[in-house]
Amino acid sequence: MVLIKNKLAIFPGEVDKGGIIMDLWVSEMQTADMRISCRVIKSLHSEMTPFQKLMVVDTHQFGRMLLLDNIIQTTVADEFVYHEMISHVGLNTLPNPRKVLVVGGGDGGSIREIIKHKSVEKAVLVEIDGKVIEAAKKYLPEISCALDDPRVEVLVDDGIKHVKENKNTYDMIIVDSTDPIGPAEGLFGAAFYQDVHDALTEDGIFVAQTESPFFNRELIPRIYNDVASIFPLARLFLANVPTYPGGLWTFTMGSKKHDPVKVDISKLPDLNTRFYSPEIHRTCFVLPPFVQELIKK
Amino acid sequence: MVLIKNKLAIFPGEVDKGGIIMDLWVSEMQTADMRISCRVIKSLHSEMTPFQKLMVVDTHQFGRMLLLDNIIQTTVADEFVYHEMISHVGLNTLPNPRKVLVVGGGDGGSIREIIKHKSVEKAVLVEIDGKVIEAAKKYLPEISCALDDPRVEVLVDDGIKHVKENKNTYDMIIVDSTDPIGPAEGLFGAAFYQDVHDALTEDGIFVAQTESPFFNRELIPRIYNDVASIFPLARLFLANVPTYPGGLWTFTMGSKKHDPVKVDISKLPDLNTRFYSPEIHRTCFVLPPFVQELIKK
């Protein structure tokens, strides 16, 4: 992208001696009626993949940011909240997780957290869009750094198919997806959750990101009830991700045997985390009444 | 505000038969590098008061919204989080709060929550800008509804002066202020906190809104350390307000005697709340490590 001003070619993020001559922002329509915008230092990458529009921009507020179909997926500044919470709450509920699957999550952040667990022998990433993995490796090394770990297997494939074809295989399955529109739509349905259930070992756990309790008040109970109808135990928990709409985010867990709120938190390992902690493991399941009412029978 | 298009005068929020012909948004620069925007149905009120710019707009996402100096103060859709948490955590820590002061808070939301407590005999609001109270009464009846209650006294005055002149008077003082720029600057300093301490009765409690743990990482420890140097007990707690930057907000408490985390939550009254609950009373003090590190000595 090149603008011509005063006969000079100016590139995004450049500033001339007279002041800022290009004021570039990236904006996400978080809902039809609400927008977040971040000032951009430099646009690093933009392409149409076979699945979606992929962008990487460097922002002043959050550092490097990955967007898919114009929606913020992750940023270097706040990704720790999401990736720690989608991984450790479930893994620390299991006594000895060995094999873990991430569906989606091509940036690698969930994988990075999973391999902090010493018991994990294999972490498999199944991402449908290989371009997301390539971009993360090139532009987001802080997030993708574990994708080349020997315990990690990266597959560019359809997660729905993979789950269907691997019965009784994984101790934990994490659905680290985009929003329930576009390529990820099938990851939010009861048929998929049944396949996830069947792909888990006998005491396995499943965790998915399930959107905002302020803005997705129809989706959350639908997912929760689907999961509760398939798994012996369903739980909803919360974390604070500032670049997601409203800043408060839900995760839905289905568990075959172990209850996350009954974990002895005094025995949890130190995982060098910035949002997750043993006490947060306990309190993230305490829902304010306006969230609780979403999932009460 | 009138736009002329095709010889017709169009007012904000109006839509002609051919589609939206006016697309009005209200935007807040949450930081120098981040902006939130909400689509406006109608601009209801705009004036320069002696203290600040005051606006009330009706938005699609959050309903009616009060802005001061272009910063979102409260909205009908999410005000419950902030007002419940700034009031009930402190009041439910005290065995028998009778006299309560709100400094700022001209919208009346904190007062509405305070008078839910049966022990409260008098709730005093000291708001420096009478125009805020007038606008709240006219445009935000859901929030300001308790300002005419017989137990409530409304003073248009300087809160700093009021606190200095009323020693040993209040069981709880709530500082429900704008950001620490402009008229509220003096409400974020150690000299004011000392006056607040002296205006409290012997087992009194003070709570202030103290900004975002993501974006105000210098302010929060400064306030916390000031409060901890003046009060026997200082505590930080969290709540989720989607229209505030990052969606996660801190409150700082100074207490002369009672520890909020030692309250027997099984005995707390039902206050008909949507965010606060006895369990939230306990868990709001559990800080993620990245917040905890802000206030560790």
Side-chain angles (χ1 to χ4, degrees):
Chain A
M1 189 165 27
V2 179
L3 289 185
I4 305 298
K5 180 175 174 173
N6 297 336
K7 297 178 188 165
L8 287 168
I10 308 300
F11 292 88
E14 281 192 328
V15 173
D16 83 357
K17 300 295 180 194
I20 294 168
I21 56 173
M22 189 159 169
D23 192 28
L24 189 64
W25 292 71
V26 63
S27 291
E28 176 190 333
M29 290 294 297
Q30 293 187 315
T31 73
D33 300 311
M34 183 172 61
R35 191 169 64 206
I36 185 177
S37 308
C38 297
R39 201 149 67 88
V40 169
I41 298 169
K42 195 169 185 174
S43 172
L44 298 170
H45 188 84
S46 181
E47 74 175 301
M48 285 299 305
T49 79
F51 297 96
Q52 53 207 341
K53 180 175 164 190
L54 186 162
M55 285 176 67
V56 183
V57 297
D58 196 3
T59 69
H60 288 272
Q61 189 70 60
F62 296 106
R64 291 186 176 188
M65 174 186 281
L66 170 70
L67 297 104
L68 296 174
D69 285 342
N70 302 328
I71 293 170
I72 299 171
Q73 300 300 312
T74 198
T75 81
V76 167
D78 75 348
E79 56 88 16
F80 68 96
V81 179
Y82 176 88
H83 291 128
E84 290 175 10
M85 292 300 281
I86 204 170
S87 304
H88 301 312
V89 178
L91 286 168
N92 274 345
T93 299
L94 292 170
N96 189 36
R98 292 185 301 170
K99 206 166 168 187
V100 181
L101 171 67
V102 178
V103 175
D107 54 57
S110 298
I111 290 287
R112 182 197 61 202
E113 296 303 313
I114 290 163
I115 66 163
K116 288 181 178 175
H117 292 260
K118 292 203 170 75
S119 69
V120 171
E121 296 161 5
K122 192 167 190 182
V124 179
L125 180 83
V126 182
E127 163 66 58
I128 202 166
D129 191 343
K131 295 293 183 183
V132 174
I133 299 167
E134 284 176 29
K137 283 188 170 180
K138 184 166 180 186
Y139 297 107
L140 305 168
E142 307 89 335
I143 304 175
S144 62
C145 52
L147 289 176
D148 294 322
D149 187 277
R151 289 186 285 163
V152 175
E153 183 181 354
V154 176
L155 303 172
V156 177
D157 204 350
D158 178 359
I160 295 174
K161 182 166 76 75
H162 182 90
V163 164
K164 216 185 274 284
E165 290 171 355
N166 289 271
K167 304 288 184 204
N168 191 29
T169 301
Y170 294 104
D171 301 310
M172 180 165 173
I173 296 177
I174 292 172
V175 181
D176 180 0
S177 72
T178 52
D179 295 335
I181 41 169
E185 201 173 345
L187 304 178
F188 287 83
F192 175 66
Y193 301 145
Q194 183 62 57
D195 289 338
V196 164
H197 175 277
D198 298 344
L200 286 167
T201 53
E202 62 178 348
D203 65 348
I205 281 182
F206 147 70
V207 172
Q209 76 81 8
T210 48
E211 309 284 304
S212 159
F214 286 105
F215 304 120
N216 305 93
R217 293 179 64 83
E218 291 181 5
L219 182 77
I220 291 168
R222 208 245 306 143
I223 293 171
Y224 184 85
N225 290 332
D226 282 349
V227 170
S229 72
I230 293 166
F231 286 83
L233 201 83
R235 296 275 186 202
L236 194 73
F237 63 95
L238 298 170
N240 308 97
V241 186
T243 53
Y244 289 176
L248 183 64
W249 215 243
T250 69
F251 300 85
T252 302
M253 175 188 284
S255 178
K256 289 190 176 179
K257 187 171 162 192
H258 299 283
D259 189 344
V261 305
K262 291 184 180 155
V263 166
D264 179 355
I265 62 168
S266 71
K267 292 183 178 159
L268 294 180
D270 180 4
L271 296 166
N272 190 24
T273 46
R274 296 175 62 206
F275 191 91
Y276 178 85
S277 72
E279 276 204 293
I280 292 288
H281 183 106
R282 189 169 53 80
T283 61
C284 68
F285 292 98
V286 175
L287 309 176
F290 88 101
V291 183
Q292 187 64 48
E293 75 187 17
L294 287 179
I295 59 166
K296 73 178 173 207
K297 296 287 176 184
Chain B
M1 185 166 32
V2 179
L3 288 186
I4 306 298
K5 182 175 173 174
N6 297 335
K7 296 178 190 166
L8 286 169
I10 307 300
F11 292 87
E14 282 192 326
V15 173
D16 82 357
K17 301 295 181 192
I20 294 168
I21 57 173
M22 189 159 167
D23 191 29
L24 189 64
W25 291 71
V26 63
S27 291
E28 175 190 332
M29 290 294 296
Q30 293 187 314
T31 72
D33 301 311
M34 183 171 62
R35 191 168 63 205
I36 186 176
S37 308
C38 297
R39 202 148 68 87
V40 170
I41 299 169
K42 194 168 184 174
S43 173
L44 298 170
H45 187 85
S46 181
E47 74 176 300
M48 285 299 306
T49 78
F51 297 97
Q52 53 207 340
K53 180 175 164 190
L54 186 161
M55 285 176 66
V56 183
V57 296
D58 195 3
T59 68
H60 288 272
Q61 190 69 60
F62 295 106
R64 291 186 176 188
M65 174 186 282
L66 170 70
L67 297 104
L68 296 174
D69 285 342
N70 302 330
I71 294 169
I72 299 171
Q73 299 301 313
T74 198
T75 81
V76 168
D78 75 348
E79 57 88 15
F80 68 96
V81 178
Y82 176 87
H83 291 128
E84 289 176 11
M85 292 300 281
I86 205 169
S87 304
H88 300 313
V89 178
L91 286 168
N92 274 345
T93 299
L94 292 169
N96 191 36
R98 292 185 300 171
K99 206 166 169 187
V100 182
L101 172 67
V102 179
V103 175
D107 54 57
S110 297
I111 289 287
R112 182 196 62 202
E113 295 304 313
I114 290 164
I115 65 162
K116 288 181 179 174
H117 292 259
K118 292 203 171 74
S119 68
V120 171
E121 296 162 5
K122 192 168 190 182
V124 179
L125 180 83
V126 182
E127 163 65 59
I128 201 166
D129 191 343
K131 295 294 185 183
V132 174
I133 299 167
E134 284 175 30
K137 283 187 170 179
K138 184 166 180 186
Y139 297 108
L140 306 168
E142 307 91 335
I143 305 176
S144 62
C145 52
L147 289 176
D148 294 322
D149 187 277
R151 288 186 285 162
V152 175
E153 182 180 356
V154 176
L155 304 172
V156 177
D157 203 352
D158 178 359
I160 295 175
K161 183 166 75 73
H162 181 90
V163 164
K164 217 185 274 285
E165 291 171 356
N166 288 272
K167 305 286 185 204
N168 192 29
T169 302
Y170 294 105
D171 300 310
M172 181 166 173
I173 296 177
I174 292 171
V175 180
D176 179 1
S177 72
T178 52
D179 295 335
I181 42 169
E185 202 172 346
L187 303 178
F188 288 84
F192 175 67
Y193 301 145
Q194 184 62 56
D195 289 338
V196 164
H197 175 276
D198 298 344
L200 286 167
T201 53
E202 62 177 350
D203 65 348
I205 280 182
F206 148 69
V207 172
Q209 77 82 5
T210 48
E211 309 283 304
S212 158
F214 287 105
F215 304 119
N216 304 93
R217 293 180 63 82
E218 291 181 6
L219 183 76
I220 291 168
R222 207 239 314 135
I223 293 172
Y224 184 86
N225 291 332
D226 282 350
V227 171
S229 73
I230 292 166
F231 286 84
L233 200 83
R235 296 275 185 202
L236 194 72
F237 63 95
L238 297 170
N240 308 96
V241 186
T243 52
Y244 290 176
L248 184 63
W249 216 243
T250 69
F251 299 84
T252 303
M253 175 187 286
S255 178
K256 288 189 176 181
K257 187 171 161 191
H258 299 284
D259 189 344
V261 305
K262 290 182 180 158
V263 167
D264 180 356
I265 62 168
S266 71
K267 292 184 179 158
L268 294 179
D270 180 4
L271 295 165
N272 189 25
T273 46
R274 294 175 61 206
F275 190 91
Y276 178 85
S277 71
E279 276 203 293
I280 292 289
H281 183 106
R282 188 169 52 81
T283 61
C284 68
F285 293 97
V286 175
L287 308 176
F290 88 102
V291 183
Q292 188 62 48
E293 75 186 18
L294 287 179
I295 58 165
K296 73 177 174 209
K297 296 285 176 185

